[in-house]
Amino acid sequence: MQVPTHNTRGGAVLAGLGGWLPPRVVDNHELSRRLDTSDEWIRTRTGITARHVVAPGMSTVDMAVEAGRRALDSAGADGERVDAVVLATSTPDHVCPASAPQVASRLGLAGAAAFDVNAVCSGFVYALATAAGLLACGAARRVLVVGADAFTTLLDPGDRSTVPIFGDGAGAVVLRSGRPDEPGALGPFDLHSDGELADLLIVPAGGSRQKVSDQPSDHYLTMRGPAVFRHATARMAESSRAVLAEAGWTAADVDRCVGHQANIRILTATAKNLGLSADALVVNIGHTGNTSAASIPLAMVDGVLDGTLKDGDRVLVTAFGAGLTWGSTVLRWPELRCVPL
């Protein structure tokens, strides 16, 4: 599905940015003491040296509130009157109710529309498109979009194929109504899915199809890594080409690419597939791991802080996740301020 950037009511403009990571850091050496792995094995295959992990009692909502507060502060006056909160997550605090209303309430936004979006690692791009739709139809003038996941809670602690990859965290942006041609305006969007491949990344139990299971492994994420790699690199490149064409850009026009931080090899393979230089990639997976729906906004925060993302940069955003889901968008980077993670 391709969603055009122009509409009768204006565009969705990036006005604030924030992120938050749990204090506890688990590095590769700690993992190698309890798993059949090593720092070298993890680094060379994923690009990850450490990841942040939620402490007992800490939840997705807790992280989302911290990131949301920072994004609202970054937005200044635009963060004072938010009409809606869209939370991208696949690890809500509860199966029912949604977590977004709790985030809104704790941020002092009680009464705002609030709901969750679950497209797993593509969730943030899907949530941006959803928020842009709210702005386009006039249902909101300002929207807080949060990507937050406590993904380590879905992992088998003894699984060396998943534990080294994932971390926890939250990132958020404030979107406001604005002109489609001004700095920070998002769009067009390109969104897709393929449910026939849902079993490539899946937690079998816990939902309505299989609420509980006597097999503990049914409650943990299973991942068919090689197949995921093939589909991720192909689909992100395919979606990126489509959204660039819709925007009237070519790969040569792209200054920076903020891709879902799944694996450094996926990022570099996607860039190569698109004809982009590896230097165009905004990468922070080394110290965060794969934070699912939080990975893109967290990479944006680090990109601003280290100067990788600069005012006026033409930025491609692309993601791939379980479902399967994938999607992309573009924007010209605006002037933003944010605090360190």
Side-chain angles (χ1 to χ4, degrees):
M1 178 178 70
Q2 293 182 17
V3 183
T5 186
H6 296 290
N7 56 70
T8 58
R9 295 181 181 270
V13 178
L14 180 60
L17 173 66
W20 192 81
L21 293 166
R24 187 185 174 212
V25 177
V26 177
D27 64 20
N28 292 347
H29 297 290
E30 180 176 340
L31 290 184
S32 66
R33 290 193 291 270
R34 61 183 177 87
L35 295 173
D36 180 19
T37 189
S38 67
D39 171 61
E40 181 183 10
W41 190 93
I42 298 170
R43 280 189 296 104
T44 56
R45 287 162 177 78
T46 68
I48 301 167
T49 59
R51 71 286 297 148
H52 293 248
V53 176
V54 290
M58 182 181 294
S59 74
T60 292
V61 167
D62 296 330
M63 295 189 294
V65 168
E66 295 296 335
R69 182 174 293 116
R70 292 183 176 198
L72 293 172
D73 289 344
S74 169
D78 284 319
E80 294 175 1
R81 291 179 294 173
V82 168
D83 305 303
V85 176
V86 182
L87 172 63
T89 187
S90 52
T91 59
D93 282 22
H94 307 282
V95 173
C96 177
S99 292
Q102 298 171 61
V103 175
S105 179
R106 287 175 55 179
L107 288 172
L109 303 173
F115 56 93
D116 295 357
V117 170
N118 183 355
V120 199
C121 296
S122 302
F124 188 71
V125 174
Y126 270 65
L128 289 176
T130 302
L134 292 174
L135 295 167
C137 75
R141 290 180 297 176
R142 296 174 184 84
V143 182
L144 175 66
V145 179
V146 186
D149 271 306
F151 216 79
T152 63
T153 63
L154 300 180
L155 308 180
D156 178 349
D159 184 2
R160 81 168 203 158
S161 69
T162 59
V163 170
I165 295 173
F166 293 96
D168 303 323
V173 298
V174 173
L175 301 184
R176 63 167 174 82
S177 295
R179 301 189 317 276
D181 59 348
E182 68 178 289
L186 290 159
F189 289 87
D190 182 78
L191 306 174
H192 298 278
S193 72
D194 186 351
E196 291 187 1
L197 297 173
D199 63 344
L200 293 188
L201 299 104
I202 193 169
V203 179
S208 62
R209 181 169 296 281
Q210 186 180 358
K211 184 176 179 181
V212 295
S213 171
D214 293 333
Q215 298 296 323
S217 60
D218 286 347
H219 293 273
Y220 293 129
L221 176 77
T222 64
M223 180 175 67
R224 290 160 55 186
V228 170
F229 182 96
R230 291 195 303 273
H231 282 283
T233 54
R235 300 307 187 188
M236 285 200 293
E238 175 185 286
S239 178
S240 295
R241 289 192 187 94
V243 83
L244 290 174
E246 181 68 21
W249 295 8
T250 68
D253 294 319
V254 175
D255 298 305
R256 297 295 178 198
C257 175
V258 185
H260 166 53
Q261 308 287 299
N263 179 309
I264 190 61
R265 293 193 298 169
I266 290 176
L267 288 170
T268 55
T270 300
K272 183 177 180 180
N273 199 340
L274 289 169
L276 297 176
S277 163
D279 292 338
L281 293 170
V282 177
V283 179
N284 74 340
I285 191 173
H287 73 91
T288 65
N290 179 345
T291 55
S292 192
S295 79
I296 285 175
L298 287 172
M300 288 176 170
V301 171
D302 274 336
V304 169
L305 294 173
D306 67 16
T308 305
L309 285 172
K310 301 183 293 296
D311 304 352
D313 278 350
R314 292 162 294 190
V315 180
L316 168 67
V317 178
T318 187
F320 174 90
L324 297 176
T325 60
W326 60 95
S328 305
T329 190
V330 296
L331 74 156
R332 286 186 180 271
W333 196 256
E335 183 178 357
L336 289 175
R337 61 178 181 85
C338 54
V339 299
L341 296 172

